Amino acid sequence: MHARTHAHSLLNHRRTEEAGAQEQAHAQSYTSAPGGTAGLGALALRPGGGGGAAPGGGTPMELLRRAHEAALRLVLLLSPRGAASARDPKPRASEVLTQHLLQRRLPHWTSFCVPYSAVHNDQFGLSHFNWAVQGANYHVLRTGCFPFIKYHCSKAPWQDLDRQDQFFTALKVINLGIPTLLYGLGSWLFARVTETVHTSYGPVTVYFLNKEDEDAMY
């Protein structure tokens, strides 16, 4: 009886070891996958959204960004001053955003357009996000609307805006950017109020549809 119990115990121990080895091999199949994906958790947390790796090693958002940059570069090169402006050093769009808010002495709100041709579009894919400047937090609505990038900034406490950001971005993709393009062309026709924003790469002109009262709450 004792020998039979001992043999049964050894059999259970061996089965446990085999199950553990299978689980370990299953986990390693994720960590060794092409693109360096460290399991499902890392896939969900990867910058650019949890859409998985597209062929060629980039996320869908990254591939969309590259396609957008290529199309934008081509359009700007075909414009009258495009070839010259393409060679000029440019600030990041995020720097223009920060410097504008600082020049305005951290206003309650502001809404402006910055030309694509004047900046590096380092905030591609962001639609609604928090932006902190010297202790003040802003909720920023951002959209590309050729030939501009449009920003609407409202001073407000930090808030989790991820769901709204994803919703607005998805909406623009579904609409193929057509409404934002029409908005950009309308802004190009009617935005006649300008200000100069001073950046580390020199002055950048930003455009407004209306003259803003710098002390207005809304």
Side-chain angles (χ1 to χ4, degrees):
M1 177 67 71
H2 179 72
R4 183 181 299 175
T5 301
H6 181 67
H8 184 69
S9 176
L10 288 174
L11 180 62
N12 286 338
H13 181 68
R14 180 176 297 175
R15 286 175 177 173
T16 301
E17 288 182 340
E18 290 176 354
Q22 290 176 354
E23 290 179 0
Q24 185 176 5
H26 185 63
Q28 288 176 348
S29 69
Y30 282 115
T31 58
S32 61
T37 302
L40 296 179
L43 182 65
L45 295 174
R46 186 164 47 207
T59 63
M61 183 58 72
E62 174 64 16
L63 295 179
L64 185 60
R65 182 189 67 80
R66 292 177 184 176
H68 179 271
E69 285 186 353
L72 184 62
R73 192 178 300 113
L74 177 61
V75 171
L76 291 176
L77 284 174
L78 295 176
S79 65
R81 293 190 64 256
S85 65
R87 293 191 296 268
D88 295 337
K90 303 172 185 176
R92 293 172 297 177
S94 57
E95 181 185 355
V96 175
L97 171 60
T98 296
Q99 292 304 319
H100 172 67
L101 293 172
L102 289 174
Q103 286 184 198
R104 282 289 190 90
R105 300 185 300 278
L106 304 179
H108 295 288
W109 76 277
T110 182
S111 180
F112 66 98
C113 300
V114 56
Y116 270 116
S117 59
V119 294
H120 287 297
N121 183 23
D122 65 323
Q123 294 175 319
F124 176 84
L126 293 178
S127 298
H128 198 196
F129 55 96
N130 292 281
W131 194 253
V133 181
Q134 290 190 352
N137 190 75
Y138 287 86
H139 292 181
V140 178
L141 283 165
R142 175 207 168 277
T143 190
C145 49
F146 187 84
F148 298 113
I149 303 170
K150 175 65 181 288
Y151 290 96
H152 186 285
C153 312
S154 301
K155 187 184 288 186
W158 187 94
Q159 183 180 342
D160 186 354
L161 301 174
D162 282 351
R163 288 179 180 269
Q164 297 169 34
D165 178 56
Q166 293 169 7
F167 172 76
F168 289 134
T169 300
L171 197 62
K172 288 185 284 189
V173 172
I174 291 171
N175 290 325
L176 303 177
I178 295 174
T180 56
L181 175 61
L182 295 176
Y183 183 84
L185 295 176
S187 300
W188 178 69
L189 290 173
F190 298 108
R192 292 293 177 262
V193 180
T194 64
E195 288 186 17
T196 300
V197 176
H198 298 281
T199 74
S200 59
Y201 287 86
V204 172
T205 301
V206 297
Y207 296 80
F208 303 82
L209 289 173
N210 300 291
K211 177 67 176 176
E212 293 184 354
D213 181 353
E214 297 186 13
D215 296 322
M217 294 288 294
Y218 305 101

